[in-house]
Amino acid sequence: MFGITPYERRNNAMTYDPFKAFDNFEREFFKNGMMAEFKTDIKDNGKEYELLADLPGFRKEDINIELDDNCLTIQAERRFENEEKDKKGNYVRRERSYGSFSRSFDVSGIEVSAIKASYEDGVLKLVLPKKQEITPAARRLEIE
């Protein structure tokens, strides 16, 4: 239930490090996933890449995929509220969860017009076909 934390002597003014204190504050403040990013797996299937992004708890309508030049950006925003009240209308428990997540990927070697997306069981799946490599035709030059 409670984590074991290492003992730190805090009463000694000679060893106080304000930078360490700030780092600890930042780590504690953001530890609940407020700034976390979602995890992705990218698999090379030969002629295409398959990108799987874990987005549990999101609805399909909460996910936005944008293409801008050679950049593909996946954004997801969650708004969840749960209220429980007693018979008098007083709160017994009230929980809210908000979060916005975003990841960007370079798609310069991808045929962007053929990208396909699907979302099932909290996993966003993108199929990213590779661009066909154009090899220059060989020819023989005559010397004048």
PDB file of all heavy atoms in Angstrom, residues 95-132:
ATOM      1  N   GLU A  95     -14.784  12.080  -8.393  1.00  0.00           N
ATOM      2  CA  GLU A  95     -13.501  11.951  -9.066  1.00  0.00           C
ATOM      3  C   GLU A  95     -13.601  12.494 -10.476  1.00  0.00           C
ATOM      4  O   GLU A  95     -14.578  12.249 -11.181  1.00  0.00           O
ATOM      5  CB  GLU A  95     -13.065  10.486  -9.113  1.00  0.00           C
ATOM      6  CG  GLU A  95     -12.793   9.904  -7.747  1.00  0.00           C
ATOM      7  CD  GLU A  95     -12.357   8.457  -7.812  1.00  0.00           C
ATOM      8  OE1 GLU A  95     -12.323   7.890  -8.913  1.00  0.00           O
ATOM      9  OE2 GLU A  95     -12.065   7.907  -6.753  1.00  0.00           O
ATOM     10  N   ARG A  96     -12.572  13.229 -10.865  1.00  0.00           N
ATOM     11  CA  ARG A  96     -12.487  13.751 -12.216  1.00  0.00           C
ATOM     12  C   ARG A  96     -11.133  13.396 -12.781  1.00  0.00           C
ATOM     13  O   ARG A  96     -10.128  13.429 -12.085  1.00  0.00           O
ATOM     14  CB  ARG A  96     -12.667  15.276 -12.212  1.00  0.00           C
ATOM     15  CG  ARG A  96     -14.049  15.703 -11.848  1.00  0.00           C
ATOM     16  CD  ARG A  96     -14.140  17.193 -11.663  1.00  0.00           C
ATOM     17  NE  ARG A  96     -13.271  17.748 -10.633  1.00  0.00           N
ATOM     18  CZ  ARG A  96     -13.507  17.657  -9.330  1.00  0.00           C
ATOM     19  NH1 ARG A  96     -14.558  17.016  -8.909  1.00  0.00           N
ATOM     20  NH2 ARG A  96     -12.697  18.208  -8.461  1.00  0.00           N
ATOM     21  N   SER A  97     -11.107  13.106 -14.054  1.00  0.00           N
ATOM     22  CA  SER A  97      -9.851  12.775 -14.715  1.00  0.00           C
ATOM     23  C   SER A  97      -9.816  13.494 -16.054  1.00  0.00           C
ATOM     24  O   SER A  97     -10.696  13.317 -16.886  1.00  0.00           O
ATOM     25  CB  SER A  97      -9.763  11.258 -14.933  1.00  0.00           C
ATOM     26  OG  SER A  97      -8.639  10.945 -15.692  1.00  0.00           O
ATOM     27  N   TYR A  98      -8.821  14.341 -16.233  1.00  0.00           N
ATOM     28  CA  TYR A  98      -8.636  15.065 -17.473  1.00  0.00           C
ATOM     29  C   TYR A  98      -7.218  14.831 -17.948  1.00  0.00           C
ATOM     30  O   TYR A  98      -6.301  14.748 -17.151  1.00  0.00           O
ATOM     31  CB  TYR A  98      -8.858  16.575 -17.285  1.00  0.00           C
ATOM     32  CG  TYR A  98     -10.221  16.931 -16.781  1.00  0.00           C
ATOM     33  CD1 TYR A  98     -10.435  17.159 -15.437  1.00  0.00           C
ATOM     34  CD2 TYR A  98     -11.288  17.023 -17.655  1.00  0.00           C
ATOM     35  CE1 TYR A  98     -11.692  17.485 -14.966  1.00  0.00           C
ATOM     36  CE2 TYR A  98     -12.543  17.350 -17.195  1.00  0.00           C
ATOM     37  CZ  TYR A  98     -12.750  17.586 -15.839  1.00  0.00           C
ATOM     38  OH  TYR A  98     -13.989  17.902 -15.391  1.00  0.00           O
ATOM     39  N   GLY A  99      -7.055  14.753 -19.227  1.00  0.00           N
ATOM     40  CA  GLY A  99      -5.703  14.605 -19.744  1.00  0.00           C
ATOM     41  C   GLY A  99      -5.677  14.796 -21.244  1.00  0.00           C
ATOM     42  O   GLY A  99      -6.630  14.474 -21.945  1.00  0.00           O
ATOM     43  N   SER A 100      -4.581  15.336 -21.718  1.00  0.00           N
ATOM     44  CA  SER A 100      -4.381  15.520 -23.139  1.00  0.00           C
ATOM     45  C   SER A 100      -3.030  14.923 -23.496  1.00  0.00           C
ATOM     46  O   SER A 100      -2.037  15.179 -22.821  1.00  0.00           O
ATOM     47  CB  SER A 100      -4.415  17.008 -23.479  1.00  0.00           C
ATOM     48  OG  SER A 100      -4.216  17.182 -24.859  1.00  0.00           O
ATOM     49  N   PHE A 101      -3.006  14.112 -24.530  1.00  0.00           N
ATOM     50  CA  PHE A 101      -1.798  13.411 -24.936  1.00  0.00           C
ATOM     51  C   PHE A 101      -1.537  13.679 -26.405  1.00  0.00           C
ATOM     52  O   PHE A 101      -2.479  13.816 -27.186  1.00  0.00           O
ATOM     53  CB  PHE A 101      -1.969  11.904 -24.718  1.00  0.00           C
ATOM     54  CG  PHE A 101      -2.337  11.542 -23.306  1.00  0.00           C
ATOM     55  CD1 PHE A 101      -3.662  11.479 -22.916  1.00  0.00           C
ATOM     56  CD2 PHE A 101      -1.360  11.260 -22.377  1.00  0.00           C
ATOM     57  CE1 PHE A 101      -4.013  11.146 -21.627  1.00  0.00           C
ATOM     58  CE2 PHE A 101      -1.691  10.924 -21.080  1.00  0.00           C
ATOM     59  CZ  PHE A 101      -3.026  10.869 -20.699  1.00  0.00           C
ATOM     60  N   SER A 102      -0.271  13.735 -26.777  1.00  0.00           N
ATOM     61  CA  SER A 102       0.064  14.007 -28.162  1.00  0.00           C
ATOM     62  C   SER A 102       1.417  13.385 -28.493  1.00  0.00           C
ATOM     63  O   SER A 102       2.344  13.439 -27.689  1.00  0.00           O
ATOM     64  CB  SER A 102       0.117  15.516 -28.390  1.00  0.00           C
ATOM     65  OG  SER A 102       0.486  15.800 -29.716  1.00  0.00           O
ATOM     66  N   ARG A 103       1.513  12.798 -29.683  1.00  0.00           N
ATOM     67  CA  ARG A 103       2.778  12.273 -30.207  1.00  0.00           C
ATOM     68  C   ARG A 103       2.842  12.626 -31.681  1.00  0.00           C
ATOM     69  O   ARG A 103       1.834  12.606 -32.374  1.00  0.00           O
ATOM     70  CB  ARG A 103       2.855  10.744 -30.094  1.00  0.00           C
ATOM     71  CG  ARG A 103       2.867  10.142 -28.715  1.00  0.00           C
ATOM     72  CD  ARG A 103       4.202  10.127 -28.011  1.00  0.00           C
ATOM     73  NE  ARG A 103       5.323   9.558 -28.690  1.00  0.00           N
ATOM     74  CZ  ARG A 103       5.776   8.322 -28.527  1.00  0.00           C
ATOM     75  NH1 ARG A 103       5.160   7.483 -27.731  1.00  0.00           N
ATOM     76  NH2 ARG A 103       6.852   7.917 -29.163  1.00  0.00           N
ATOM     77  N   SER A 104       4.054  12.919 -32.165  1.00  0.00           N
ATOM     78  CA  SER A 104       4.254  13.243 -33.579  1.00  0.00           C
ATOM     79  C   SER A 104       5.286  12.307 -34.176  1.00  0.00           C
ATOM     80  O   SER A 104       6.237  11.901 -33.500  1.00  0.00           O
ATOM     81  CB  SER A 104       4.722  14.692 -33.729  1.00  0.00           C
ATOM     82  OG  SER A 104       3.711  15.569 -33.306  1.00  0.00           O
ATOM     83  N   PHE A 105       5.105  11.996 -35.473  1.00  0.00           N
ATOM     84  CA  PHE A 105       5.980  11.065 -36.169  1.00  0.00           C
ATOM     85  C   PHE A 105       6.322  11.609 -37.547  1.00  0.00           C
ATOM     86  O   PHE A 105       5.481  12.218 -38.211  1.00  0.00           O
ATOM     87  CB  PHE A 105       5.294   9.697 -36.332  1.00  0.00           C
ATOM     88  CG  PHE A 105       4.873   9.079 -35.026  1.00  0.00           C
ATOM     89  CD1 PHE A 105       3.604   9.312 -34.519  1.00  0.00           C
ATOM     90  CD2 PHE A 105       5.748   8.289 -34.316  1.00  0.00           C
ATOM     91  CE1 PHE A 105       3.213   8.750 -33.316  1.00  0.00           C
ATOM     92  CE2 PHE A 105       5.366   7.729 -33.106  1.00  0.00           C
ATOM     93  CZ  PHE A 105       4.097   7.956 -32.603  1.00  0.00           C
ATOM     94  N   ASP A 106       7.545  11.370 -37.986  1.00  0.00           N
ATOM     95  CA  ASP A 106       7.991  11.760 -39.322  1.00  0.00           C
ATOM     96  C   ASP A 106       7.449  10.738 -40.319  1.00  0.00           C
ATOM     97  O   ASP A 106       7.682   9.543 -40.177  1.00  0.00           O
ATOM     98  CB  ASP A 106       9.519  11.800 -39.370  1.00  0.00           C
ATOM     99  CG  ASP A 106      10.031  12.125 -40.756  1.00  0.00           C
ATOM    100  OD1 ASP A 106       9.442  12.970 -41.449  1.00  0.00           O
ATOM    101  OD2 ASP A 106      11.046  11.518 -41.154  1.00  0.00           O
ATOM    102  N   VAL A 107       6.750  11.204 -41.343  1.00  0.00           N
ATOM    103  CA  VAL A 107       6.190  10.307 -42.352  1.00  0.00           C
ATOM    104  C   VAL A 107       6.696  10.667 -43.744  1.00  0.00           C
ATOM    105  O   VAL A 107       5.989  10.507 -44.732  1.00  0.00           O
ATOM    106  CB  VAL A 107       4.636  10.310 -42.311  1.00  0.00           C
ATOM    107  CG1 VAL A 107       4.120   9.645 -41.054  1.00  0.00           C
ATOM    108  CG2 VAL A 107       4.070  11.705 -42.449  1.00  0.00           C
ATOM    109  N   SER A 108       7.939  11.115 -43.829  1.00  0.00           N
ATOM    110  CA  SER A 108       8.480  11.523 -45.126  1.00  0.00           C
ATOM    111  C   SER A 108       8.622  10.350 -46.088  1.00  0.00           C
ATOM    112  O   SER A 108       8.560  10.534 -47.291  1.00  0.00           O
ATOM    113  CB  SER A 108       9.824  12.228 -44.933  1.00  0.00           C
ATOM    114  OG  SER A 108      10.728  11.390 -44.239  1.00  0.00           O
ATOM    115  N   GLY A 109       8.791   9.126 -45.607  1.00  0.00           N
ATOM    116  CA  GLY A 109       8.913   7.963 -46.485  1.00  0.00           C
ATOM    117  C   GLY A 109       7.622   7.173 -46.612  1.00  0.00           C
ATOM    118  O   GLY A 109       7.626   6.017 -47.021  1.00  0.00           O
ATOM    119  N   ILE A 110       6.483   7.806 -46.290  1.00  0.00           N
ATOM    120  CA  ILE A 110       5.179   7.134 -46.262  1.00  0.00           C
ATOM    121  C   ILE A 110       4.280   7.686 -47.361  1.00  0.00           C
ATOM    122  O   ILE A 110       4.262   8.883 -47.625  1.00  0.00           O
ATOM    123  CB  ILE A 110       4.499   7.334 -44.887  1.00  0.00           C
ATOM    124  CG1 ILE A 110       5.383   6.803 -43.759  1.00  0.00           C
ATOM    125  CG2 ILE A 110       3.119   6.703 -44.842  1.00  0.00           C
ATOM    126  CD1 ILE A 110       5.660   5.320 -43.822  1.00  0.00           C
ATOM    127  N   GLU A 111       3.503   6.808 -47.975  1.00  0.00           N
ATOM    128  CA  GLU A 111       2.477   7.210 -48.942  1.00  0.00           C
ATOM    129  C   GLU A 111       1.269   7.688 -48.131  1.00  0.00           C
ATOM    130  O   GLU A 111       0.386   6.901 -47.765  1.00  0.00           O
ATOM    131  CB  GLU A 111       2.114   6.026 -49.833  1.00  0.00           C
ATOM    132  CG  GLU A 111       1.223   6.368 -50.992  1.00  0.00           C
ATOM    133  CD  GLU A 111       1.904   7.304 -51.973  1.00  0.00           C
ATOM    134  OE1 GLU A 111       3.052   7.046 -52.363  1.00  0.00           O
ATOM    135  OE2 GLU A 111       1.271   8.308 -52.329  1.00  0.00           O
ATOM    136  N   VAL A 112       1.232   8.991 -47.839  1.00  0.00           N
ATOM    137  CA  VAL A 112       0.248   9.524 -46.900  1.00  0.00           C
ATOM    138  C   VAL A 112      -1.194   9.388 -47.382  1.00  0.00           C
ATOM    139  O   VAL A 112      -2.118   9.299 -46.573  1.00  0.00           O
ATOM    140  CB  VAL A 112       0.558  10.998 -46.525  1.00  0.00           C
ATOM    141  CG1 VAL A 112       1.831  11.092 -45.730  1.00  0.00           C
ATOM    142  CG2 VAL A 112       0.603  11.882 -47.734  1.00  0.00           C
ATOM    143  N   SER A 113      -1.414   9.333 -48.669  1.00  0.00           N
ATOM    144  CA  SER A 113      -2.787   9.214 -49.183  1.00  0.00           C
ATOM    145  C   SER A 113      -3.367   7.820 -48.949  1.00  0.00           C
ATOM    146  O   SER A 113      -4.574   7.632 -49.061  1.00  0.00           O
ATOM    147  CB  SER A 113      -2.823   9.544 -50.672  1.00  0.00           C
ATOM    148  OG  SER A 113      -2.022   8.630 -51.397  1.00  0.00           O
ATOM    149  N   ALA A 114      -2.534   6.848 -48.588  1.00  0.00           N
ATOM    150  CA  ALA A 114      -3.006   5.473 -48.402  1.00  0.00           C
ATOM    151  C   ALA A 114      -2.971   5.016 -46.941  1.00  0.00           C
ATOM    152  O   ALA A 114      -3.141   3.838 -46.652  1.00  0.00           O
ATOM    153  CB  ALA A 114      -2.167   4.529 -49.264  1.00  0.00           C
ATOM    154  N   ILE A 115      -2.784   5.946 -45.996  1.00  0.00           N
ATOM    155  CA  ILE A 115      -2.755   5.580 -44.573  1.00  0.00           C
ATOM    156  C   ILE A 115      -4.154   5.160 -44.135  1.00  0.00           C
ATOM    157  O   ILE A 115      -5.144   5.801 -44.466  1.00  0.00           O
ATOM    158  CB  ILE A 115      -2.255   6.764 -43.716  1.00  0.00           C
ATOM    159  CG1 ILE A 115      -0.802   7.067 -44.029  1.00  0.00           C
ATOM    160  CG2 ILE A 115      -2.415   6.456 -42.236  1.00  0.00           C
ATOM    161  CD1 ILE A 115      -0.266   8.292 -43.304  1.00  0.00           C
ATOM    162  N   LYS A 116      -4.218   4.069 -43.372  1.00  0.00           N
ATOM    163  CA  LYS A 116      -5.498   3.575 -42.846  1.00  0.00           C
ATOM    164  C   LYS A 116      -5.413   3.542 -41.322  1.00  0.00           C
ATOM    165  O   LYS A 116      -4.383   3.190 -40.757  1.00  0.00           O
ATOM    166  CB  LYS A 116      -5.797   2.179 -43.376  1.00  0.00           C
ATOM    167  CG  LYS A 116      -6.015   2.147 -44.864  1.00  0.00           C
ATOM    168  CD  LYS A 116      -6.301   0.750 -45.337  1.00  0.00           C
ATOM    169  CE  LYS A 116      -6.424   0.748 -46.855  1.00  0.00           C
ATOM    170  NZ  LYS A 116      -6.515  -0.603 -47.382  1.00  0.00           N
ATOM    171  N   ALA A 117      -6.518   3.898 -40.666  1.00  0.00           N
ATOM    172  CA  ALA A 117      -6.564   3.935 -39.203  1.00  0.00           C
ATOM    173  C   ALA A 117      -7.769   3.159 -38.698  1.00  0.00           C
ATOM    174  O   ALA A 117      -8.847   3.200 -39.303  1.00  0.00           O
ATOM    175  CB  ALA A 117      -6.624   5.372 -38.710  1.00  0.00           C
ATOM    176  N   SER A 118      -7.575   2.458 -37.581  1.00  0.00           N
ATOM    177  CA  SER A 118      -8.684   1.772 -36.908  1.00  0.00           C
ATOM    178  C   SER A 118      -8.432   1.840 -35.401  1.00  0.00           C
ATOM    179  O   SER A 118      -7.302   2.018 -34.952  1.00  0.00           O
ATOM    180  CB  SER A 118      -8.802   0.323 -37.375  1.00  0.00           C
ATOM    181  OG  SER A 118      -7.627  -0.405 -37.061  1.00  0.00           O
ATOM    182  N   TYR A 119      -9.510   1.698 -34.630  1.00  0.00           N
ATOM    183  CA  TYR A 119      -9.412   1.786 -33.172  1.00  0.00           C
ATOM    184  C   TYR A 119     -10.288   0.702 -32.570  1.00  0.00           C
ATOM    185  O   TYR A 119     -11.491   0.643 -32.835  1.00  0.00           O
ATOM    186  CB  TYR A 119      -9.861   3.166 -32.695  1.00  0.00           C
ATOM    187  CG  TYR A 119      -9.729   3.372 -31.212  1.00  0.00           C
ATOM    188  CD1 TYR A 119      -8.476   3.444 -30.611  1.00  0.00           C
ATOM    189  CD2 TYR A 119     -10.849   3.495 -30.408  1.00  0.00           C
ATOM    190  CE1 TYR A 119      -8.345   3.642 -29.249  1.00  0.00           C
ATOM    191  CE2 TYR A 119     -10.731   3.704 -29.047  1.00  0.00           C
ATOM    192  CZ  TYR A 119      -9.481   3.776 -28.470  1.00  0.00           C
ATOM    193  OH  TYR A 119      -9.354   3.972 -27.120  1.00  0.00           O
ATOM    194  N   GLU A 120      -9.664  -0.168 -31.765  1.00  0.00           N
ATOM    195  CA  GLU A 120     -10.406  -1.266 -31.158  1.00  0.00           C
ATOM    196  C   GLU A 120      -9.766  -1.637 -29.832  1.00  0.00           C
ATOM    197  O   GLU A 120      -8.541  -1.783 -29.742  1.00  0.00           O
ATOM    198  CB  GLU A 120     -10.409  -2.477 -32.090  1.00  0.00           C
ATOM    199  CG  GLU A 120     -11.252  -3.630 -31.597  1.00  0.00           C
ATOM    200  CD  GLU A 120     -11.293  -4.782 -32.583  1.00  0.00           C
ATOM    201  OE1 GLU A 120     -10.947  -4.600 -33.752  1.00  0.00           O
ATOM    202  OE2 GLU A 120     -11.672  -5.876 -32.157  1.00  0.00           O
ATOM    203  N   ASP A 121     -10.586  -1.801 -28.794  1.00  0.00           N
ATOM    204  CA  ASP A 121     -10.144  -2.226 -27.468  1.00  0.00           C
ATOM    205  C   ASP A 121      -9.008  -1.375 -26.905  1.00  0.00           C
ATOM    206  O   ASP A 121      -8.058  -1.882 -26.310  1.00  0.00           O
ATOM    207  CB  ASP A 121      -9.722  -3.702 -27.484  1.00  0.00           C
ATOM    208  CG  ASP A 121     -10.871  -4.631 -27.818  1.00  0.00           C
ATOM    209  OD1 ASP A 121     -12.029  -4.271 -27.522  1.00  0.00           O
ATOM    210  OD2 ASP A 121     -10.627  -5.706 -28.378  1.00  0.00           O
ATOM    211  N   GLY A 122      -9.077  -0.067 -27.115  1.00  0.00           N
ATOM    212  CA  GLY A 122      -8.085   0.833 -26.550  1.00  0.00           C
ATOM    213  C   GLY A 122      -6.776   0.917 -27.302  1.00  0.00           C
ATOM    214  O   GLY A 122      -5.822   1.509 -26.823  1.00  0.00           O
ATOM    215  N   VAL A 123      -6.718   0.327 -28.491  1.00  0.00           N
ATOM    216  CA  VAL A 123      -5.493   0.360 -29.299  1.00  0.00           C
ATOM    217  C   VAL A 123      -5.804   0.994 -30.652  1.00  0.00           C
ATOM    218  O   VAL A 123      -6.669   0.532 -31.382  1.00  0.00           O
ATOM    219  CB  VAL A 123      -4.914  -1.059 -29.502  1.00  0.00           C
ATOM    220  CG1 VAL A 123      -3.672  -1.010 -30.376  1.00  0.00           C
ATOM    221  CG2 VAL A 123      -4.585  -1.702 -28.160  1.00  0.00           C
ATOM    222  N   LEU A 124      -5.079   2.074 -30.953  1.00  0.00           N
ATOM    223  CA  LEU A 124      -5.173   2.725 -32.253  1.00  0.00           C
ATOM    224  C   LEU A 124      -4.176   2.051 -33.175  1.00  0.00           C
ATOM    225  O   LEU A 124      -3.006   1.909 -32.832  1.00  0.00           O
ATOM    226  CB  LEU A 124      -4.851   4.219 -32.130  1.00  0.00           C
ATOM    227  CG  LEU A 124      -4.813   5.011 -33.431  1.00  0.00           C
ATOM    228  CD1 LEU A 124      -6.200   5.106 -34.049  1.00  0.00           C
ATOM    229  CD2 LEU A 124      -4.228   6.390 -33.192  1.00  0.00           C
ATOM    230  N   LYS A 125      -4.645   1.634 -34.345  1.00  0.00           N
ATOM    231  CA  LYS A 125      -3.778   0.953 -35.315  1.00  0.00           C
ATOM    232  C   LYS A 125      -3.732   1.775 -36.595  1.00  0.00           C
ATOM    233  O   LYS A 125      -4.767   2.096 -37.162  1.00  0.00           O
ATOM    234  CB  LYS A 125      -4.310  -0.441 -35.616  1.00  0.00           C
ATOM    235  CG  LYS A 125      -3.501  -1.198 -36.648  1.00  0.00           C
ATOM    236  CD  LYS A 125      -4.103  -2.558 -36.915  1.00  0.00           C
ATOM    237  CE  LYS A 125      -3.366  -3.296 -37.994  1.00  0.00           C
ATOM    238  NZ  LYS A 125      -3.966  -4.600 -38.282  1.00  0.00           N
ATOM    239  N   LEU A 126      -2.520   2.137 -37.007  1.00  0.00           N
ATOM    240  CA  LEU A 126      -2.314   2.843 -38.263  1.00  0.00           C
ATOM    241  C   LEU A 126      -1.478   1.968 -39.182  1.00  0.00           C
ATOM    242  O   LEU A 126      -0.452   1.427 -38.775  1.00  0.00           O
ATOM    243  CB  LEU A 126      -1.570   4.165 -38.045  1.00  0.00           C
ATOM    244  CG  LEU A 126      -2.267   5.229 -37.207  1.00  0.00           C
ATOM    245  CD1 LEU A 126      -1.365   6.430 -37.033  1.00  0.00           C
ATOM    246  CD2 LEU A 126      -3.558   5.646 -37.844  1.00  0.00           C
ATOM    247  N   VAL A 127      -1.930   1.811 -40.409  1.00  0.00           N
ATOM    248  CA  VAL A 127      -1.164   1.108 -41.435  1.00  0.00           C
ATOM    249  C   VAL A 127      -0.582   2.173 -42.340  1.00  0.00           C
ATOM    250  O   VAL A 127      -1.315   2.949 -42.954  1.00  0.00           O
ATOM    251  CB  VAL A 127      -2.051   0.109 -42.217  1.00  0.00           C
ATOM    252  CG1 VAL A 127      -1.256  -0.559 -43.312  1.00  0.00           C
ATOM    253  CG2 VAL A 127      -2.645  -0.918 -41.264  1.00  0.00           C
ATOM    254  N   LEU A 128       0.746   2.227 -42.395  1.00  0.00           N
ATOM    255  CA  LEU A 128       1.464   3.285 -43.109  1.00  0.00           C
ATOM    256  C   LEU A 128       2.251   2.677 -44.268  1.00  0.00           C
ATOM    257  O   LEU A 128       3.376   2.197 -44.079  1.00  0.00           O
ATOM    258  CB  LEU A 128       2.428   3.995 -42.147  1.00  0.00           C
ATOM    259  CG  LEU A 128       1.800   4.486 -40.834  1.00  0.00           C
ATOM    260  CD1 LEU A 128       2.855   4.722 -39.782  1.00  0.00           C
ATOM    261  CD2 LEU A 128       1.019   5.736 -41.080  1.00  0.00           C
ATOM    262  N   PRO A 129       1.682   2.671 -45.484  1.00  0.00           N
ATOM    263  CA  PRO A 129       2.385   2.094 -46.637  1.00  0.00           C
ATOM    264  C   PRO A 129       3.620   2.911 -47.003  1.00  0.00           C
ATOM    265  O   PRO A 129       3.576   4.142 -47.015  1.00  0.00           O
ATOM    266  CB  PRO A 129       1.362   2.128 -47.765  1.00  0.00           C
ATOM    267  CG  PRO A 129       0.073   2.533 -47.151  1.00  0.00           C
ATOM    268  CD  PRO A 129       0.359   3.145 -45.837  1.00  0.00           C
ATOM    269  N   LYS A 130       4.697   2.214 -47.297  1.00  0.00           N
ATOM    270  CA  LYS A 130       5.936   2.894 -47.695  1.00  0.00           C
ATOM    271  C   LYS A 130       5.800   3.415 -49.119  1.00  0.00           C
ATOM    272  O   LYS A 130       5.087   2.846 -49.940  1.00  0.00           O
ATOM    273  CB  LYS A 130       7.113   1.927 -47.626  1.00  0.00           C
ATOM    274  CG  LYS A 130       7.420   1.444 -46.229  1.00  0.00           C
ATOM    275  CD  LYS A 130       8.588   0.460 -46.263  1.00  0.00           C
ATOM    276  CE  LYS A 130       8.878  -0.105 -44.908  1.00  0.00           C
ATOM    277  NZ  LYS A 130       9.987  -1.079 -44.946  1.00  0.00           N
ATOM    278  N   LYS A 131       6.499   4.522 -49.400  1.00  0.00           N
ATOM    279  CA  LYS A 131       6.533   5.050 -50.757  1.00  0.00           C
ATOM    280  C   LYS A 131       7.333   4.103 -51.632  1.00  0.00           C
ATOM    281  O   LYS A 131       8.311   3.504 -51.198  1.00  0.00           O
ATOM    282  CB  LYS A 131       7.197   6.429 -50.792  1.00  0.00           C
ATOM    283  CG  LYS A 131       6.322   7.546 -50.314  1.00  0.00           C
ATOM    284  CD  LYS A 131       7.013   8.882 -50.504  1.00  0.00           C
ATOM    285  CE  LYS A 131       6.120  10.011 -50.036  1.00  0.00           C
ATOM    286  NZ  LYS A 131       6.802  11.307 -50.117  1.00  0.00           N
ATOM    287  N   GLN A 132       6.884   3.972 -52.881  1.00  0.00           N
ATOM    288  CA  GLN A 132       7.618   3.164 -53.841  1.00  0.00           C
ATOM    289  C   GLN A 132       8.908   3.877 -54.207  1.00  0.00           C
ATOM    290  O   GLN A 132       8.883   5.065 -54.517  1.00  0.00           O
ATOM    291  CB  GLN A 132       6.775   2.932 -55.109  1.00  0.00           C
ATOM    292  CG  GLN A 132       5.516   2.158 -54.869  1.00  0.00           C
ATOM    293  CD  GLN A 132       5.815   0.697 -54.577  1.00  0.00           C
ATOM    294  OE1 GLN A 132       6.818   0.158 -54.997  1.00  0.00           O
ATOM    295  NE2 GLN A 132       4.918   0.071 -53.831  1.00  0.00           N
TER     296      GLN A 132
END
